[in-house]
Amino acid sequence: MKVTALLRQLVFSSVLCCTTNQARLTVSPSSSQFFEYDSVSLSCEEDDSSAGWTLRRNTSKQQMTQCGVQWGRYTGSSCEIRFIDPLDSGVYWCESREGPISNMVNLTVTGKLVILQSPVLPVMEGDDVTLLCETKTTPSNLPAAFYKDGSLIRKQPTGHMTIQHVSKSDEGLYKCDISGHGESPSSWITVTGQPSTTTSPTTSALATSEDQSQVSNPLQLALTLTRHLLVFCPYFISTILMVSLYREKPKDKEPLQNKRDDVTTEHNF
């Protein structure tokens, strides 16, 4: 029905208007571990703009403090931390005035000589992930051993390891070790499922909702249709009355004309 299609469009528009844009926290360089005195830039990215979002963090010393207050400084739309310190290790996220928050990122800063460069954001199932065991004072192509959840995975002669076509089973806590230099801190790697591209969730939900309402609650549809008809009824009734009046006017003139003809005929006699 046309009314049903109109209702679907109205509901779909309201859903789009009321949806809150979700920000995404990004880190540059893209890593979850950093050497002491490195520089890090964090940004709250959104589809429309980054306005209205505040970067916050929890560390062992500070709770829910924002960029520009005792740590970091804003450079354009990004928060830059120069000469990062182990005390800057903690959880970072973006928060809006309305309350929604972004993904959370756990950053680790170490004063040791070895770090593990691993994805700071969740990785998709099926993607390839490269881990790099890096030293602070020597080239990063030294032989390294890689561990997951405390167990040795493999030893690589070039200091980097690629996990091909990652799956949920690859999710876990990773670290690396370079002989003679030490081991890195541990970082958690999160693996997420591939998003569905067959049907839009919003459209599917609306279609399902419409089908259920037509089957399980026809009275609601009837009431909605009645409300629409009540809006158009005054215009419909006024149109009918105008047409009726227009059609009755010739009938009123015809008897009057006949009376005039009768008076003229009597006068002649």
Side-chain angles (χ1 to χ4, degrees):
M1 297 175 63
K2 291 183 178 181
V3 174
T4 304
L6 177 61
L7 288 175
R8 183 196 300 179
Q9 185 176 1
L10 291 174
V11 173
F12 184 71
S13 300
S14 64
V15 169
L16 292 179
C17 291
C18 298
T19 300
T20 303
N21 289 327
Q22 183 70 38
R24 185 171 68 101
L25 175 59
T26 60
V27 181
S28 180
S30 182
S31 179
S32 58
Q33 295 185 14
F34 296 93
F35 289 117
E36 187 178 15
Y37 306 129
D38 281 348
S39 294
V40 181
S41 180
L42 303 101
S43 302
C44 299
E45 295 183 353
E46 193 180 24
D47 292 340
D48 296 333
S49 67
S50 58
W53 294 89
T54 301
L55 181 65
R56 296 185 181 276
R57 76 177 188 180
N58 272 351
T59 66
S60 59
K61 297 293 183 180
Q62 298 175 327
Q63 301 297 315
M64 291 190 66
T65 55
Q66 67 183 61
C67 177
V69 179
Q70 299 181 352
W71 64 274
R73 67 174 184 177
Y74 278 106
T75 305
S77 60
S78 300
C79 177
E80 185 177 5
I81 308 176
R82 292 186 176 181
F83 309 113
I84 197 167
D85 187 87
L87 293 177
D88 293 313
S89 298
V91 180
Y92 293 73
W93 71 93
C94 303
E95 185 175 315
S96 74
R97 290 186 294 268
E98 291 76 16
I101 64 174
S102 70
N103 57 301
M104 292 186 176
V105 169
N106 193 358
L107 299 184
T108 301
V109 184
T110 181
K112 297 181 180 181
L113 299 178
V114 178
I115 63 171
L116 175 66
Q117 287 193 356
S118 60
V120 64
L121 298 177
V123 295
M124 290 289 183
E125 283 186 305
D127 289 351
D128 295 342
V129 175
T130 298
L131 307 179
L132 173 64
C133 199
E134 183 180 3
T135 59
K136 187 174 184 178
T137 57
T138 57
S140 299
N141 57 352
L142 296 177
F146 293 86
Y147 297 82
K148 175 180 178 290
D149 298 330
S151 299
L152 177 65
I153 305 174
R154 70 186 76 157
K155 294 182 179 180
Q156 294 293 100
T158 56
H160 69 273
M161 179 187 72
T162 299
I163 307 173
Q164 296 182 340
H165 310 299
V166 295
S167 63
K168 272 291 189 180
S169 62
D170 294 311
E171 195 171 68
L173 204 59
Y174 289 78
K175 68 178 182 179
C176 67
D177 180 87
I178 296 179
S179 179
H181 294 80
E183 67 177 24
S184 72
S186 298
S187 287
W188 183 270
I189 294 181
T190 301
V191 180
T192 61
Q194 289 284 356
S196 175
T197 57
T198 53
T199 306
S200 171
T202 304
T203 306
S204 178
L206 288 173
T208 303
S209 176
E210 178 190 348
D211 294 340
Q212 289 178 350
S213 64
Q214 288 179 350
V215 175
S216 61
N217 196 5
L219 180 59
Q220 183 178 357
L221 182 58
L223 292 174
T224 303
L225 180 59
T226 303
R227 286 196 298 267
H228 281 78
L229 290 177
L230 288 176
V231 173
F232 292 103
C233 272
Y235 301 98
F236 180 76
I237 294 173
S238 61
T239 303
I240 294 296
L241 289 176
M242 292 178 63
V243 171
S244 300
L245 291 174
Y246 179 81
R247 293 183 62 184
E248 289 178 0
K249 282 183 179 182
K251 295 181 181 179
D252 293 338
K253 290 181 180 181
E254 184 176 356
L256 181 61
Q257 184 64 36
N258 292 337
K259 289 181 181 180
R260 288 178 180 175
D261 293 340
D262 293 340
V263 173
T264 304
T265 305
E266 290 178 359
H267 180 71
N268 291 333
F269 280 111

